[in-house]
Amino acid sequence: MANITLGGNAVTTSGELPQVGTKAKDFKLVAIDLSTKTLSDFLGSKLILNIFPSVNTGVCSASVRNFNQQASSLENSKVLCISRDLPFAQEQFCAAEGLENVVMLSDFKTGAFGKDYGLMMNNGIFDALLSRCVIVLDKEGTVIYTEQVPEIGQEPDYEAALKALK
């Protein structure tokens, strides 16, 4: 269980992020077209999993915009932006912002992704939402970098995540 904060208030998560060097667990997430996507759908590409509580908050939307900008120059890589927002909200956000270089995925149905990856918040005002994390996977789905952002209101270390892809 990770100990993080939200506005300075203590929050715990459902577990620990996957360890570097381990295979990432498979997942079932909902895309904006309401199809189900799994980890195997993306194998063969390096992946940045940009995980956050809600696309409708300032820091979360900033992380999606930042990774969208960076993604256009990434070779054989994809950025998966994952939250518990409804796919309709994710689609509206991307359309309004003109974002085309990221893949929006939702854990709204079961929360299994957040639980399996140890990043669902257990308490506080964002209880049951996903904490702000970045997980980078190689082409075979092995974890090569993780970051659990210690204060939900902080942006992730974009540079470190992108460096892990090289």
Side-chain angles (χ1 to χ4, degrees), residues 2-76:
N3 293 305
I4 57 176
T5 58
L6 173 60
N9 298 307
V11 176
T12 60
T13 62
S14 57
E16 299 292 331
L17 295 181
Q19 291 188 335
V20 171
T22 63
K23 287 285 187 189
K25 290 184 181 182
D26 200 7
F27 54 72
K28 288 184 180 179
L29 296 167
V30 181
I32 60 174
D33 64 1
L34 302 181
S35 65
T36 299
K37 297 294 183 185
T38 66
L39 178 59
S40 59
D41 291 328
F42 300 100
L43 293 180
S45 295
K46 294 180 268 183
L47 301 174
I48 294 177
L49 309 183
N50 176 36
I51 306 154
F52 49 88
S54 175
V55 74
N56 290 315
T57 63
V59 177
C60 299
S61 57
S63 73
V64 175
R65 281 188 215 100
N66 191 306
F67 277 123
N68 178 73
Q69 181 181 15
Q70 301 293 332
S72 63
S73 65
L74 299 176
E75 190 174 314
N76 194 31

Side-chain angles (χ1 to χ4, degrees), residues 55-109:
V55 74
N56 290 315
T57 63
V59 177
C60 299
S61 57
S63 73
V64 175
R65 281 188 215 100
N66 191 306
F67 277 123
N68 178 73
Q69 181 181 15
Q70 301 293 332
S72 63
S73 65
L74 299 176
E75 190 174 314
N76 194 31
S77 301
K78 295 185 185 317
V79 177
L80 309 183
C81 293
I82 304 169
S83 70
R84 294 203 71 191
D85 291 302
L86 291 174
F88 313 111
Q90 293 176 332
E91 181 179 34
Q92 289 171 342
F93 173 78
C94 286
E97 296 283 330
L99 306 178
E100 299 175 349
N101 298 321
V102 295
V103 178
M104 299 297 284
L105 298 171
S106 177
D107 190 26
F108 84 96
K109 280 189 175 181

